[in-house]
Amino acid sequence: MIVVLNNKSNLNQEQFLGYQKQLEDIISDHKLVLCPSNIYLADFYLENLSLGVQNVSPYEEGAYTGEIASSQLKSLGVSYAIVGHSERRLYFHENEMDLKKKIESLLKYEIIPILCIGEMEKQDGLRVVESQLEILKAIDKNEQVIIAYEPVWAIGTGQVPTIEEVEKVISFIKGKFPQNSVIYGGSVNEENIYNLKSSLLNGYLLGGLSLKPDRLRQFLNQLDR
């Protein structure tokens, strides 16, 4: 399985270096991916985790002040990139054209995109997911994209869907894109992972839990049981 750690906009530089120190001795059979703030990419040194990012420019290198291009990320050893997180869609008004450009740019430089999809309201699940998946139909090599199902109503709220609800959506996604890996995110932690295991899932996307190495270790231990 793949376990993606999304640090979001947290940790100053001193804290990040100390945080990495706590992650050094984590040993897992699962693929672990750390997505820190972009300003810390050059500080990344861990050999037991792969390096990812939380965002990428939809443009190539050039006159795009403040943006970071896929080619630049590749030169820093980045292997994965989160695209279309609900917070990017909500606060930065990213649209499907932006996401398409980002995914195509990442694939060009052999960086694996992690496309986040998910509904705002619980009752809108399949309808919203189907709409957000349309973007993949227009992308070559779309089977290389990891799909992260994160119901927005569950992110950071402590409201966790049942495994039956998760599997309903995952089965729907797999029915349309059977070659893609699909992971789940949304208030998953070391205490509720028992109830969120499924043979349909290829991994998990962790937000708040990613910042707590001790609890992360517990999560990984529970994941193996």
Side-chain angles (χ1 to χ4, degrees), residues 9-26:
S9 290
N10 289 294
L11 307 176
N12 60 35
Q13 186 180 39
E14 181 179 357
Q15 290 171 332
F16 178 70
L17 294 175
Y19 166 77
Q20 280 196 110
K21 193 73 175 174
Q22 294 179 71
L23 297 178
E24 281 182 347
D25 61 351
I26 288 183

Side-chain angles (χ1 to χ4, degrees), residues 40-124:
Y40 303 137
L41 294 179
D43 293 324
F44 178 84
Y45 66 82
L46 297 171
E47 296 183 356
N48 53 334
L49 284 84
S50 295
L51 181 59
V53 290
Q54 303 170 25
N55 188 35
V56 62
S57 174
Y59 306 107
E60 293 286 345
E61 289 183 55
Y64 301 103
T65 300
E67 292 293 300
I68 302 177
S70 295
S71 58
Q72 295 175 301
L73 296 175
K74 185 68 174 180
S75 72
L76 288 172
V78 170
S79 301
Y80 296 83
I82 296 173
V83 177
H85 191 281
S86 59
E87 291 158 4
R88 298 292 311 178
R89 295 176 190 258
L90 177 62
Y91 302 132
F92 301 96
H93 310 291
E94 291 187 350
N95 57 44
E96 301 306 300
M97 184 56 68
D98 294 327
L99 304 186
K100 180 175 181 291
K101 289 179 179 178
K102 291 183 179 190
I103 291 173
E104 290 176 336
S105 176
L106 290 167
L107 291 174
K108 176 180 177 180
Y109 289 96
E110 300 181 329
I111 298 173
I112 299 174
I114 302 170
L115 174 63
C116 294
I117 60 173
E119 72 278 12
M120 294 290 293
E121 303 294 337
K122 192 171 183 179
Q123 64 271 19
D124 295 334

